[in-house]
Amino acid sequence: MSERSDPGAAEPSRRGLFRNLVNGIGAAIVTALAVPLAGFFVLPAFKRSKTVWKEVGRLDDFVAGEIKLVPLRPLERREWPEDWGTEAAWVYRKGERDFVVYDLHCTHVGCPVNWSPQAKRFFSPCHGGVFDADGRVLSGPPPRPLDRYETKIEKGVLYAGAVYRGDRRLGRAVS
């Protein structure tokens, strides 16, 4: 007979040791996978985005009171997968240094809008949305006015920055 000092104490067995070892390895694997996955979902919320300014054109290219479709040329070279291809916008010169740069897309489902100088209206070809020269909805299903770009003028050149929906900055023009 063998003598035990504490008859209620359990002896460590190989099976229990192996179970603890497997559980520890499993916990390490789950942690190694969970930390990067959590970072993938959580960290973009903390990322500070910077405005990517695009050249719209020289001030002399625009006539006061007229609306003109222009290509937007990013000031920084963008590489795939962030290359958005060719972008365009409608520019309305209201006064000497008063410009509005409208996003090309209807606020209903994103169809490109067309400007009619005769009617002095923007028309969305898909669902009959109509906007006035100030971007306000006149008829159709669009839920809000045309989105606008932030603008700045430097050395006689007009630039477009972030897209705004009313007072809220959108992600399309930022990186």
Side-chain angles (χ1 to χ4, degrees):
M1 271 198 178
S2 65
E3 245 179 74
R4 294 185 186 176
S5 60
D6 184 8
E11 285 185 28
S13 66
R14 281 190 232 172
R15 183 173 290 166
L17 182 63
F18 185 68
R19 184 180 314 126
N20 290 340
L21 181 64
V22 169
N23 287 342
I25 291 172
I29 290 171
V30 167
T31 302
L33 295 175
V35 169
L37 192 60
F40 176 78
F41 288 107
V42 174
L43 290 180
F46 297 104
K47 182 181 176 186
R48 288 257 168 180
S49 59
K50 72 172 190 175
T51 300
V52 176
W53 289 95
K54 298 168 188 79
E55 184 179 335
V56 177
R58 301 204 51 76
L59 299 184
D60 300 339
D61 296 342
F62 305 104
V63 177
E66 289 187 8
I67 295 178
K68 180 179 179 181
L69 181 64
V70 296
L72 300 177
R73 295 176 293 278
L75 297 181
E76 327 181 328
R77 183 174 174 185
R78 303 196 60 143
E79 299 293 335
W80 179 89
E82 302 215 7
D83 182 18
W84 294 325
T86 304
E87 289 184 88
W90 292 102
V91 179
Y92 180 20
R93 185 173 191 169
K94 292 183 161 191
E96 185 62 31
R97 294 182 68 81
D98 186 13
F99 290 86
V100 179
V101 179
Y102 295 111
D103 185 35
L104 184 67
H105 301 95
C106 176
T107 55
H108 179 228
V109 291
C111 301
V113 295
N114 299 311
W115 171 250
S116 171
Q118 296 82 14
K120 297 191 184 310
R121 304 275 188 265
F122 288 102
F123 293 97
S124 175
C126 299
H127 299 102
V130 180
F131 303 86
D132 68 5
D134 290 319
R136 293 181 297 243
V137 177
L138 297 178
S139 68
R144 64 182 191 281
L146 289 173
D147 296 333
R148 298 173 180 212
Y149 283 92
E150 175 183 16
T151 60
K152 71 177 180 179
I153 298 171
E154 289 181 357
K155 298 179 182 174
V157 178
L158 178 64
Y159 297 94
V163 176
Y164 283 86
R165 174 187 298 159
D167 292 334
R168 198 174 120 221
R169 184 177 177 156
L170 302 178
R172 268 194 306 231
V174 293
S175 63

